[in-house]
Amino acid sequence: LLAKKCWTLITYMFAHYEVMHILFNMLVLYWFGRMFLDFFTPKQFCGLYILGGIGGGLLYLLAYSLLPSLSSSISWLIGASASVMAIVLAISTKAPHYKLNLLFLGPISLKWIAIFYVTIDMLSINGANVGGHVAHLGGAFIGFLFTLAINRGIDISAPLNHIIDFFKKIKNPFKNFQ
């Protein structure tokens, strides 16, 4: 199905099924995105968001293709959670001791928040939304790799950002034919 509709590997991360799903994703993206921008650029944010979604989508497809217990089940890949997890893990890897003040809990280091999110997804693999949790882990892995690569002087979001810049430069390809 992906071969016939390859754009879905990108579009799924911009759609949501439930209001609470998009609300939670956007709140987490807002909070962690602001911290992300303290250490990285807006271009890297955009590139990582898309790469995290693609990574989550590919792990989802791989899991449903290779694991017999999943191949017989029906599942949808929808939502920004893998992309958001990429941002969360990237900033948590870059600044693990940066504290976030949580209501009723007080200041918590980003590393513990990231560990909590990843642990919940790993423990929920046998639950109702297996595909969603697999995709979350794929996005988290991409976010972790992004920061490791940045620390070594390699920006894995740069090639994607070059493609985005190319399409931004094309304002009206038909202007010469008017």
Side-chain angles (χ1 to χ4, degrees):
L1 184 63
L2 182 64
K4 292 180 182 177
K5 298 179 181 182
C6 58
W7 60 86
T8 58
L9 195 56
I10 302 291
T11 58
Y12 91 90
M13 65 185 93
F14 296 102
H16 285 79
Y17 185 70
E18 297 172 332
V19 172
M20 291 308 290
H21 187 206
I22 192 169
L23 178 65
F24 185 73
N25 276 334
M26 294 305 102
L27 284 172
V28 172
L29 184 63
Y30 174 75
W31 291 321
F32 282 86
R34 290 180 56 91
M35 287 182 277
F36 182 93
L37 293 174
D38 287 341
F39 296 91
F40 304 107
T41 68
K43 273 185 148 181
Q44 289 171 323
F45 177 88
C46 182
L48 180 59
Y49 181 91
I50 294 170
L51 286 176
I54 291 171
L58 289 175
L59 188 60
Y60 170 92
L61 291 172
L62 188 66
Y64 273 85
S65 297
L66 298 178
L67 301 175
S69 62
L70 298 179
S71 61
S72 63
S73 66
I74 297 172
S75 178
W76 292 358
L77 179 62
I78 189 166
S81 301
S83 299
V84 172
M85 283 295 286
I87 301 296
V88 169
L89 262 289
I91 188 58
S92 299
T93 305
K94 181 68 175 174
H97 302 295
Y98 190 98
K99 299 221 187 283
L100 191 62
N101 228 349
L102 298 180
L103 188 64
F104 303 121
L105 297 175
I108 306 281
S109 295
L110 291 182
K111 70 178 176 184
W112 295 115
I113 295 170
I115 289 169
F116 175 77
Y117 272 132
V118 170
T119 302
I120 290 297
D121 282 322
M122 291 176 82
L123 293 174
S124 300
I125 293 257
N126 292 328
N129 184 14
V130 176
H133 295 293
V134 167
H136 294 175
L137 292 171
F141 182 68
I142 295 296
F144 178 73
L145 284 180
F146 171 82
T147 301
L148 289 182
I150 286 287
N151 289 343
R152 289 176 173 78
I154 302 165
D155 183 359
I156 64 171
S157 69
L160 179 62
N161 284 322
H162 290 308
I163 294 169
I164 293 168
D165 288 342
F166 172 78
F167 284 106
K168 280 178 164 178
K169 288 179 184 175
I170 303 174
K171 295 183 181 182
N172 185 357
F174 301 108
K175 69 181 175 186
N176 295 330
F177 297 107
Q178 295 177 359

